[in-house]
Amino acid sequence: MAEVIVAIAVIYFLLGGDTWSPKMWAVFAIVAAWIIIMNVRKEAGLETEKSYLRWKQRLGLLMVLSLLFSPLWVDSWWPFFIGLVLGLIWLDDYRSMKTLFRKNAEATKSNRPDHTDL
């Protein structure tokens, strides 16, 4: 819940949320609800760790891209610069995730019995 409050404060005060239309706030509310639902599904065991990490990476990319392109509809360059910084962080997370998935795939392959000697 604290994350939602922080997100609303950042959007309202830093990203010009006070000038947003009700439609933009509705989109924001839907994305916030989606994040909460996915976190609850993960905690309840309804999502695998791998699918949750993939969803999280896609959502992060969507957020970075929306910040990078936000100067098209917001009269501020702050979101663009924040998007650049978050994009670098996202890229590092993406590389780490790919390395983790690759190691897990290799470990799974090496643990499988070889059926060629039957």
Side-chain angles (χ1 to χ4, degrees), residues 1-37 55 59 62-63 66-67 73:
M1 191 64 169
E3 293 91 357
V4 173
I5 294 169
V6 170
I8 290 171
V10 166
I11 286 178
Y12 190 82
F13 294 111
L14 187 62
L15 302 180
D18 57 336
T19 61
W20 283 13
S21 71
K23 292 177 186 176
M24 286 299 295
W25 277 107
V27 169
F28 173 76
I30 290 169
V31 171
W34 184 32
I35 292 169
I36 292 168
I37 289 168
W55 168 80
L59 180 65
L62 179 66
M63 289 180 178
S66 59
L67 284 171
W73 64 84

Side-chain angles (χ1 to χ4, degrees), residues 1 14 18 21 41-42 53 56 72 85 98 101 116:
M1 191 64 169
L14 187 62
D18 57 336
S21 71
R41 287 180 54 90
K42 179 187 171 261
L53 287 174
K56 192 174 170 183
L72 296 174
V85 172
K98 284 296 187 186
F101 284 169
T116 57

Side-chain angles (χ1 to χ4, degrees), residues 54 57 92-104:
R54 284 188 175 155
Q57 283 294 312
D92 185 53
D93 286 347
Y94 180 74
R95 288 179 184 148
S96 299
M97 186 185 77
K98 284 296 187 186
T99 303
L100 177 69
F101 284 169
R102 193 174 306 118
K103 285 180 183 177
N104 287 344

Side-chain angles (χ1 to χ4, degrees), residues 7 12 44 49 54 70-71 78 82 104:
Y12 190 82
E49 187 69 26
R54 284 188 175 155
S70 66
W78 276 109
I82 292 170
N104 287 344

